[in-house]
Amino acid sequence: MDAHKPIRLIFLINIAALLLASCKIAYYPTSFNAPMMSSKGDAQIAGAIGVGNLEIQTAYALTNNLGAMINGSYFSEVKELTINDQVQKVQLSHNYIEGGLGNFGSIGKIGRYELFAGGGIGTVPADFRNTYFDGSQTANMTKFFIQPAFGMRTNMLDFAGVFRLSSIKINNETNYFAEPGVVLKLGYKAVKFYANAGLSLPYHNSGSQSWDHNFFIIGLGVQVNIKRGEKN
């Protein structure tokens, strides 16, 4: 089996999702940050292309069992929309930053577990159903999440299964999402290629969801291990 096939498949899915993404989507779920850290001093930074977003992810082990993460995402796009029978260029933008704290530990030599929780704030294009929109508006977004993960970490391969629960508030309306996914990193020690994929599934809403969201969570990028803990 060609070892590069999974990476090529995720790349093709990511490109297709980017082409299908439209300005009608208000909530773009970020890709998963599952650092799988080992001990105090672990430090990571990753840059990725998500579904419609450019993303940055960081993680640092404060102690042998306590970690912190800071993640962010951004996109800016100019679209041509027909407004009052005239074609106009409008700017669509998304800005988001989040932070989290979590507990992590080892299972045997290479097994890892972690549980992170946190929240973030940002702005999204305010394109709501049944509402006139000329593309120039934005709405505030608030997010809270809890994310358990189990996986493994070696010099060449990191893998994790993730299940994130997210609470998203946009336009004073809160909806909840179950977001399962997988994270794969291939490389050697300091630098690894990063890929993940998952789903964002609404499991409870406020009654009539007035904003859209993307069902797919996909990310491709590169992770740099600035420092590896003593147990690696």
Side-chain angles (χ1 to χ4, degrees):
M1 180 179 177
D2 186 349
H4 297 289
K5 281 185 177 180
I7 299 296
R8 285 203 296 264
L9 178 59
I10 293 176
F11 177 77
L12 291 174
I13 294 173
N14 192 41
I15 293 299
L18 287 171
L19 293 174
L20 291 173
S22 73
C23 62
K24 291 184 177 180
I25 297 172
Y27 170 48
Y28 293 83
T30 55
S31 56
F32 302 102
N33 186 0
M36 296 285 112
M37 294 183 286
S38 299
S39 60
K40 181 180 179 179
D42 267 349
Q44 306 173 9
I45 183 170
I49 299 175
V51 178
N53 302 323
L54 297 176
E55 300 183 15
I56 186 168
Q57 300 179 346
T58 67
Y60 181 72
L62 302 169
T63 71
N64 285 331
N65 297 106
L66 178 65
M69 62 169 61
I70 298 177
N71 310 311
S73 65
Y74 167 83
F75 82 78
S76 181
E77 180 182 12
V78 176
K79 278 188 174 285
E80 290 188 348
L81 299 179
T82 301
I83 303 171
N84 297 328
D85 297 325
Q86 292 184 346
V87 176
Q88 299 184 25
K89 291 185 178 180
V90 295
Q91 186 81 28
L92 302 173
S93 62
H94 163 101
N95 301 277
Y96 174 72
I97 187 169
E98 68 181 16
L101 289 173
N103 177 265
F104 65 87
S106 300
I107 305 174
K109 186 175 181 180
I110 64 173
R112 300 287 186 271
Y113 69 87
E114 59 190 29
L115 175 64
F116 278 88
I121 57 174
T123 58
V124 297
D127 194 351
F128 305 117
R129 296 189 183 115
N130 304 316
T131 303
Y132 177 75
F133 171 60
D134 64 7
S136 62
Q137 298 166 279
T138 59
N140 293 327
M141 183 182 83
T142 303
K143 174 182 176 180
F144 294 98
F145 69 90
I146 183 168
Q147 177 184 290
F150 293 89
M152 57 178 284
R153 180 177 179 181
T154 69
N155 285 336
M156 297 182 65
L157 169 68
D158 296 357
F159 176 81
V162 182
F163 189 83
R164 182 173 66 198
L165 296 174
S166 298
S167 166
I168 308 298
K169 182 179 180 180
I170 299 175
N171 199 31
N172 294 318
E173 179 183 312
T174 302
N175 296 303
Y176 301 89
F177 298 84
E179 298 174 333
V182 294
V183 178
L184 177 68
K185 303 172 188 177
L186 292 172
Y188 188 72
K189 286 189 175 180
V191 179
K192 292 183 178 179
F193 293 99
Y194 158 95
N196 70 34
L199 297 174
S200 182
L201 306 173
Y203 68 89
H204 178 74
N205 60 48
S206 59
S208 57
Q209 184 173 314
S210 64
W211 43 266
D212 291 325
H213 76 284
N214 200 313
F215 281 95
F216 299 101
I217 302 173
I218 302 171
L220 286 174
V222 176
Q223 175 184 292
V224 176
N225 294 305
I226 301 171
K227 183 179 179 182
R228 293 173 66 88
E230 297 176 356
K231 294 182 181 180
N232 289 286

